[in-house]
Amino acid sequence: MTWTSSGWSHRAAQLARATQIGRSTDRGALMHALRAVLTGLRVPAYRDERRAAVAELQVLVDTEQRTLDPSLAVTLARAHLEMGDTHAAGIALDMVSASRLAIDTEASWTVHYMRVGLLVTAGDLGRAETIFDDAVREPPPAPMGLHTWGRDKTALLQLRMFRGGLGEIAAMREDMAPKFDAIPAYRGAIALSLFDIGDVDGARDIVGWFAYGRLSAVPDGILWLTTVVLAARAAALTRVTPVCEEALDLLAPYAEHTIVLTPGVLGVVDHHLAHVCMALGRWDEARSHVVKARELHGQRGFRVWEAESLLLAAQIDIASGREIDPEHLRTARSIAYHCGATALLDRIDDMQVPCER
């Protein structure tokens, strides 16, 4: 199928038509159409279409009961992860044959890359780090020479947010800076990493670029939600109020959505809404969003993000002058400890509130 410049709605209509034809004619054509929905409609407005497509595609895969092509396995795993089924995501990756991975370096790298994101999300960070170091850190040349630089960086970002800290990402500032205009999400990532290593002014300067309407001008593409969320998190941490206000308006319609940044997730939007509401002093909204975020993270198996939401709940209480619930920090610390989330443990310890392991 050839995409046109007619916009997302036209693309969605094309895919709906292709899916309808596939159902009435050919299983193979239907599978290709459903895969196209999962890869070609990765914007918030079409979450329901993706949910229906992954359910239907999984039925077809289960019926055939055979090994999966690596690209299909990764597509399925990413879709299941978005819908909150980490178990199904793992099964999809397990369905790629070992012999295929042994002879195809690109397929092997891609499956291991997706595995890292899944393990981080589900809370097995020690294993995620081992796989990253052994099989992901040095990617093979990309097909046709495209996107070679940075192919491993989203996995590294997600791993280091919770284990080890973001110093490695901060060290890439000079490499990433020339790409800021083409990929605005890099700005948010570098701002977060600078804040993490203590350069608050540097982080504030970078995320401040999103003010004056620039955040609203981010293109409506597959990185839109990620870009806004990274900017929102950095703006909340550095108290860049104009960016927080703009992010709040942009993200509000998608509160329960999962933010997919392949190979993993950045939690649910409710969590980041809670964070920007805290930065803006909108305490009741912040508490409402963080309660919902913790619930959704628990339901979807996003263990490290569940702990992050518990920590954020405590931070909201402290910032608003309320007495914190010590159970929040105890539970957050327990989850982080068992997940091997050392950076998250450091953030909890920085609260300077005694809590039992």
Side-chain angles (χ1 to χ4, degrees), residues 110-348:
T110 304
V111 170
H112 283 109
Y113 167 76
M114 191 69 210
R115 181 83 67 183
V116 169
L118 171 60
L119 290 170
V120 170
T121 303
D124 191 348
L125 276 76
R127 187 178 169 210
E129 184 165 42
T130 297
I131 294 174
F132 181 84
D133 287 338
D134 291 347
V136 175
R137 185 179 285 278
E138 297 183 7
M144 298 167 56
L146 298 176
H147 310 302
T148 298
W149 190 90
R151 291 213 294 162
D152 58 319
K153 301 305 184 288
T154 52
L156 181 64
L157 173 68
Q158 291 166 63
L159 176 62
R160 294 296 178 232
M161 284 179 71
F162 295 101
R163 184 179 176 90
L166 291 171
E168 284 185 78
I169 301 296
M172 299 173 193
R173 179 178 182 176
E174 290 187 6
D175 290 328
M176 283 190 174
K179 303 171 179 64
F180 281 173
D181 289 340
I183 309 175
Y186 283 173
R187 290 184 188 273
I190 289 296
L192 286 174
S193 68
L194 292 178
F195 181 88
D196 194 63
I197 64 171
D199 185 357
V200 178
D201 290 339
R204 186 179 292 115
D205 286 345
I206 288 178
V207 77
W209 179 90
F210 285 104
Y212 311 112
R214 290 195 180 103
L215 191 61
S216 295
V218 171
D220 182 21
I222 62 174
L223 285 177
W224 178 86
L225 187 57
T226 295
T227 303
V228 175
V229 163
L230 290 173
R233 184 175 174 92
L237 288 167
T238 56
R239 298 298 192 268
V240 180
T241 300
V243 178
C244 287
E245 291 173 338
E246 202 165 341
L248 185 61
D249 290 339
L250 292 170
L251 294 175
Y254 309 111
E256 296 187 8
H257 285 226
T258 294
I259 308 108
V260 177
L261 176 59
T262 307
V265 306
L266 297 175
V268 298
V269 173
D270 264 308
H271 178 93
H272 302 283
L273 287 169
H275 206 169
V276 294
C277 284
M278 180 180 77
L280 295 170
R282 300 169 67 158
W283 307 119
D284 290 342
E285 292 171 73
R287 291 190 187 94
S288 176
H289 283 300
V290 82
V291 167
K292 188 63 177 178
R294 180 191 176 186
E295 175 187 343
L296 291 173
H297 288 151
Q299 290 173 355
R300 296 176 189 181
F302 301 165
R303 292 290 284 160
V304 289
W305 282 99
E306 182 182 3
E308 186 82 0
S309 290
L310 286 163
L311 173 59
L312 181 58
Q315 291 170 332
I316 291 168
D317 284 341
I318 289 174
S320 62
R322 279 194 178 184
E323 183 176 347
I324 70 168
D325 183 345
E327 186 62 25
H328 285 165
L329 287 183
R330 279 196 291 269
T331 304
R333 196 177 212 288
S334 177
I335 294 172
Y337 177 76
H338 288 99
C339 290
T342 57
L344 180 52
L345 282 169
D346 289 342
R347 291 197 287 275
I348 295 167

